[in-house]
Amino acid sequence: MTTIGQNYQQILTSLPSGVALTAVSKFHPVAHLQAAYDAGCRVFGESRVQELVGKHEVLPHDIQWHFIGHLQPNKVKYIAPFVSLIHAVDTPKLLAEIHRRAEANKRLIPCLLQVHIAREETKFGFTPEELLEYLDQGSWRKYSSAQISGLMCMASNTDDMGQVRAEFQRVKSLFDTIKTTFFANDEAFRLRSYGMSHDWHEAVAAGSNIVRIGTSIFGERT
Ligand SMILES: *Cc1c(COP(=O)(O)O)cnc(C)c1O
């Protein structure tokens, strides 16, 4: 087996049952994705629309493609026909556009709402307060073809693992609040997407059930 295949297998076997793995293949050539595919990987995460579309065209069609990066509403149309999960919905406008393009394709597109929790790392995502306010206000309910399936976040990029754990815990309790308040009877709302190569242990300990791992599988991005 290839090194990439071995890395994939190793991560897969160290994840507790019930935790899904998205193999983050952004910036890696198709041959690297094929190596992971040959080792059994069927779920890949990409963060650029053009790159995702190109890889989708040439790789096997039983792959589930996740979009994990910042997504501009005007680019949703390119991935709407096939994307299987959009991890980082960060504005009401983006959710509305995903709904519109999902309907046009007669699809339901699962999406996660991105929570801005880290100290400075990214400007994207709803703060916990904004997210509660937005859900409470209720306009999202009419965008039913964009299926809200959970929350996503990135922790601060720091060596202070106590800080990282605290951030993941905050998102876990926000998830629980949102689940009981808005999605108690909605089985689709169940995903907690947090944890990358350097912090997935902390993420899983804090209730992540889908981790997004790139470097530990494919090596450094060049
Ligand atoms: C690149 C990226 C990852 C994977 O990061 P690694 O450190 O390579 O595991 C996860 N999530 C998002 C949103 C990313 O952009």
Side-chain angles (χ1 to χ4, degrees), residues 65-127:
W65 293 100
H66 290 188
F67 194 84
I68 62 164
H70 174 61
L71 180 57
Q72 285 166 7
N74 64 358
K75 295 196 174 167
V76 173
K77 59 177 177 286
Y78 301 114
I79 62 173
F82 66 90
V83 70
S84 68
L85 179 63
I86 296 177
H87 281 245
V89 174
D90 55 358
T91 59
K93 187 179 171 208
L94 178 58
L95 190 80
E97 180 62 9
I98 293 169
H99 165 75
R100 196 163 83 87
R101 297 294 177 179
E103 266 203 326
N105 283 278
K106 300 190 168 55
R107 299 189 66 213
L108 200 58
I109 300 182
C111 322
L112 309 178
L113 300 171
Q114 181 174 11
V115 186
H116 177 103
I117 203 97
R119 267 180 194 154
E120 297 294 326
E121 309 314 321
T122 161
K123 57 185 185 299
F124 300 120
F126 297 85
T127 65

Side-chain angles (χ1 to χ4, degrees), residues 26-192:
K26 63 187 186 198
F27 310 151
H28 286 281
V30 161
H32 292 187
L33 282 74
Q34 185 69 51
Y37 181 92
D38 292 340
C41 183
R42 295 294 181 271
V43 184
F44 292 86
E46 290 282 335
S47 61
R48 288 181 181 177
V49 167
Q50 260 195 330
E51 188 177 346
L52 171 55
V53 169
K55 287 173 173 173
H56 167 257
E57 275 169 14
V58 298
L59 282 158
H61 281 159
D62 60 344
I63 289 176
Q64 295 171 41
W65 293 100
H66 290 188
F67 194 84
I68 62 164
H70 174 61
L71 180 57
Q72 285 166 7
N74 64 358
K75 295 196 174 167
V76 173
K77 59 177 177 286
Y78 301 114
I79 62 173
F82 66 90
V83 70
S84 68
L85 179 63
I86 296 177
H87 281 245
V89 174
D90 55 358
T91 59
K93 187 179 171 208
L94 178 58
L95 190 80
E97 180 62 9
I98 293 169
H99 165 75
R100 196 163 83 87
R101 297 294 177 179
E103 266 203 326
N105 283 278
K106 300 190 168 55
R107 299 189 66 213
L108 200 58
I109 300 182
C111 322
L112 309 178
L113 300 171
Q114 181 174 11
V115 186
H116 177 103
I117 203 97
R119 267 180 194 154
E120 297 294 326
E121 309 314 321
T122 161
K123 57 185 185 299
F124 300 120
F126 297 85
T127 65
E129 297 72 27
E130 286 166 351
L131 188 53
L132 289 169
E133 203 174 302
Y134 172 61
L135 289 169
D136 195 44
Q137 163 259 345
S139 64
W140 54 274
R141 293 186 190 275
K142 64 177 182 281
Y143 302 130
S144 54
S145 296
Q147 184 180 48
I148 300 177
S149 305
L151 303 183
M152 176 270 195
C153 81
M154 290 174 83
S156 296
N157 187 10
T158 170
D159 291 334
D160 180 354
M161 286 324 215
Q163 161 90 12
V164 168
R165 270 191 294 273
E167 290 173 357
F168 288 149
Q169 286 293 351
R170 250 186 105 193
V171 174
K172 172 65 165 73
S173 58
L174 181 65
F175 175 94
D176 292 341
T177 302
I178 290 174
K179 175 74 184 169
T180 359
T181 315
F182 304 102
F183 297 95
N185 298 314
D186 184 349
E187 279 177 24
F189 189 89
R190 55 170 210 88
L191 293 176
R192 296 175 293 273

